[in-house]
Amino acid sequence: MAIDSFMSKLSVSQVKLLSTASVAGLSSTAINALASDRIAALSSGQLAVVTTDAIAGLDTAKIAAFSSSALAGLTAAQLGAITNGITNFEESQLKALKTDIIAGLAEADITALATADKLDALTTTQIAVLTGDKFSTDAIIDLTTAQASKLTATQVTALTSDAAAALTSDQLDVLTTAAIAALETADVAALFNGAGSAKLAALDAKQIAALGSDITELDSVGGGALSAVHVGGLTTAQLGALTSDEMAGWTATQINAIGSKQITSLAIGELTSTQQNLLTSTQVSGLTSTQIGAVTSDAFGAWSTDNLAAISSTAIAGLTTDQAATLASADVNALNLKALTALSTANVAALTTDAIAGLGSAQIKALTTAQIVALTTDQVAALGTDQIAALSSAQVTALESGDIALFSTAEVAAISTAAIGAISSDDYLTLTNDQLDAISSDQVAALKDNVNWVIAAYNDTTVS
């Protein structure tokens, strides 16, 4: 007992003078005999040699008396000997603990700090040395944004699914793109679907891009919560991987946020007809032939003339006959000449007579001979005088036998002098006297040697 009584009489300055050898030999009762202000005088070197038994004998007040500088000497064994462990320390003491001490803490220790509202005392450097599996749900929730910003990809990958799902919007906001990319696939679904979709608002475009292929884990609620900024930040791989599930709730604002560099990767067939009809002419101009072919007939038929005019000559190759059949006269009239001449013969034949009647003179002139051949009898009959007048000699030659006979007298008179000679002798024989009478003097003059064909047609007894 003599040493205990002696220890209780030491002054602060005397305690500071104790050698580490002397301190190392002190019993639990001897150390415990020191008053709190004497305990506070211990240096890191002195504290480092205090036995675990002696540490275990200290009460809470004396543990709280350790100076921040002394705690730099605390060992893991000593910490383990303290009743209730790390939660006995005040915030300033916690900050002073060496990183190797922090790294050795168990999940229970970290959770206990969170429960005691002391976890926020750890520095970002200390947080960085903890493995991800040390963070329970309570610990994650208690992390400050400064601490969360230091979570590494390795730590995030090691989080339990419950802990990952507990990340708050404020914490997600400060996670690095590497940390976001480290989220497990299941974690993305747990974090951002359902009620968690509101957390997506915390992410910026770069973080959304960092989700990679896991973006497809979003459900209709999560996908619908993507902002226009998010959509604009999607990589082409991400956008191309999205299905109707993720895009089910997309509005015009979201769809119109798809940029020109992204649009070719859009799985347009995954959009509803209503959504497809929200595409702008700028976006339509970037669509591929495959994408055009994936547009529903309902959506295609509802596209504005601006959208139709924006279809490129390469993309229109993907047009289906069902889509072509939806085009009205104004729609066909809106097609640019390159796109019009790129229409397949099957699509030309699928156009309604109303659509054919809507072709302008320049468009008629632009039609290829193959497209002229593809015109049905009803389509030829639907041509007007201005359209007939625009036909070239090559196009007239391409008309099938019997097509000229479908022309009205006004239309026969509208055939250009350049094209009148392209009518075959057989076709003249199909014309009635009224149609032959409609041939003008200028047209007769243009016939030159072929004028005999007209005379033969008059003399043919089969012509009425």
Side-chain angles (χ1 to χ4, degrees), residues 3-16:
I3 186 65
D4 301 340
S5 176
F6 176 77
M7 293 297 293
S8 67
K9 296 174 182 178
L10 293 178
S11 66
V12 169
S13 59
Q14 289 174 313
V15 169
K16 291 181 177 180

Side-chain angles (χ1 to χ4, degrees), residues 40 48 77 86 138 158 186 199-200 253 282 288 298 304 353 411 450:
I86 197 165
D138 288 340
K199 292 181 179 179
L200 282 168
T253 300
T282 300
T288 65
D298 287 343
S304 67
T353 54
E411 290 170 340
N450 293 342

Side-chain angles (χ1 to χ4, degrees), residues 407-435:
F407 290 2
S408 68
T409 54
E411 290 170 340
V412 170
I415 298 172
S416 70
T417 54
I420 194 72
I423 300 176
S424 70
S425 58
D426 288 340
D427 279 331
Y428 277 113
L429 293 175
T430 66
L431 299 181
T432 66
N433 285 340
D434 287 342
Q435 289 172 310

Side-chain angles (χ1 to χ4, degrees), residues 53-77:
D53 287 341
I55 290 289
L58 295 176
D59 59 27
T60 302
K62 290 183 178 178
I63 293 294
F66 288 142
S67 69
S68 296
S69 58
L71 282 171
L74 189 72
T75 67

Side-chain angles (χ1 to χ4, degrees), residues 80-157:
I82 299 173
T83 304
N84 295 325
I86 197 165
T87 56
N88 282 287
F89 295 130
E90 300 301 322
E91 291 191 6
S92 60
Q93 293 176 305
L94 290 170
K95 292 180 185 295
L97 294 176
K98 294 180 294 184
T99 53
D100 61 334
I101 294 293
I102 296 296
L105 295 176
E107 177 187 356
D109 295 320
I110 303 301
T111 300
L113 284 174
T115 302
D117 290 330
K118 292 183 177 181
L119 185 59
D120 60 356
L122 297 185
T123 66
T124 54
T125 302
Q126 291 171 316
I127 289 294
V129 300
L130 291 168
T131 55
D133 57 357
K134 300 288 182 68
F135 295 102
S136 64
T137 299
D138 288 340
I140 283 294
I141 293 173
D142 206 49
L143 288 178
T144 66
T145 53
Q147 291 171 324
S149 70
K150 298 302 180 181
L151 289 176
T152 64
T154 302
Q155 287 174 310
V156 170
T157 298

Side-chain angles (χ1 to χ4, degrees), residues 3-313:
I3 186 65
D4 301 340
S5 176
F6 176 77
M7 293 297 293
S8 67
K9 296 174 182 178
L10 293 178
S11 66
V12 169
S13 59
Q14 289 174 313
V15 169
K16 291 181 177 180
L17 293 173
L18 293 175
S19 68
T20 54
S22 298
V23 174
L26 294 175
S27 67
S28 173
T29 53
I31 289 293
N32 207 35
L34 292 172
S36 293
D37 60 339
R38 272 60 170 178
I39 291 289
L42 292 173
S43 67
S44 60
Q46 290 172 318
L47 179 58
V49 297
V50 176
T51 66
T52 54
D53 287 341
I55 290 289
L58 295 176
D59 59 27
T60 302
K62 290 183 178 178
I63 293 294
F66 288 142
S67 69
S68 296
S69 58
L71 282 171
L74 189 72
T75 67
Q78 290 173 319
L79 177 61
I82 299 173
T83 304
N84 295 325
I86 197 165
T87 56
N88 282 287
F89 295 130
E90 300 301 322
E91 291 191 6
S92 60
Q93 293 176 305
L94 290 170
K95 292 180 185 295
L97 294 176
K98 294 180 294 184
T99 53
D100 61 334
I101 294 293
I102 296 296
L105 295 176
E107 177 187 356
D109 295 320
I110 303 301
T111 300
L113 284 174
T115 302
D117 290 330
K118 292 183 177 181
L119 185 59
D120 60 356
L122 297 185
T123 66
T124 54
T125 302
Q126 291 171 316
I127 289 294
V129 300
L130 291 168
T131 55
D133 57 357
K134 300 288 182 68
F135 295 102
S136 64
T137 299
D138 288 340
I140 283 294
I141 293 173
D142 206 49
L143 288 178
T144 66
T145 53
Q147 291 171 324
S149 70
K150 298 302 180 181
L151 289 176
T152 64
T154 302
Q155 287 174 310
V156 170
T157 298
L159 292 175
T160 65
S161 55
D162 287 342
L167 286 165
T168 67
S169 294
D170 288 342
Q171 292 167 336
L172 289 166
D173 180 52
V174 297
L175 287 184
T176 64
T177 53
I180 290 289
L183 286 169
E184 297 288 343
T185 299
D187 296 339
V188 172
L191 258 174
F192 301 120
N193 288 335
S197 63
K199 292 181 179 179
L200 282 168
L203 302 184
D204 60 26
K206 290 183 178 179
Q207 289 173 311
I208 288 292
L211 288 174
S213 60
D214 286 341
I215 196 78
T216 58
E217 293 302 311
L218 298 179
D219 59 14
S220 58
V221 178
L226 292 171
S227 69
V229 172
H230 291 156
V231 172
L234 292 173
T235 65
T236 53
Q238 284 178 311
L239 184 61
L242 292 180
T243 67
S244 57
D245 289 339
E246 295 87 48
M247 298 188 288
W250 280 16
T251 64
T253 300
Q254 291 159 306
I255 290 173
N256 294 160
I258 299 171
S260 57
K261 292 182 179 180
Q262 297 170 296
I263 194 67
T264 55
S265 65
L266 174 65
I268 197 168
E270 296 295 323
L271 297 176
T272 65
S273 292
T274 300
Q275 290 173 317
Q276 290 173 352
N277 200 31
L278 296 173
L279 293 170
T280 66
S281 57
T282 300
Q283 291 173 315
V284 169
S285 68
L287 295 179
T288 65
S289 59
T290 300
Q291 289 174 308
I292 287 291
V295 177
T296 68
S297 295
D298 287 343
F300 191 79
W303 270 5
S304 67
T305 52
D306 286 341
N307 277 8
L308 295 170
I311 300 174
S312 71
S313 57

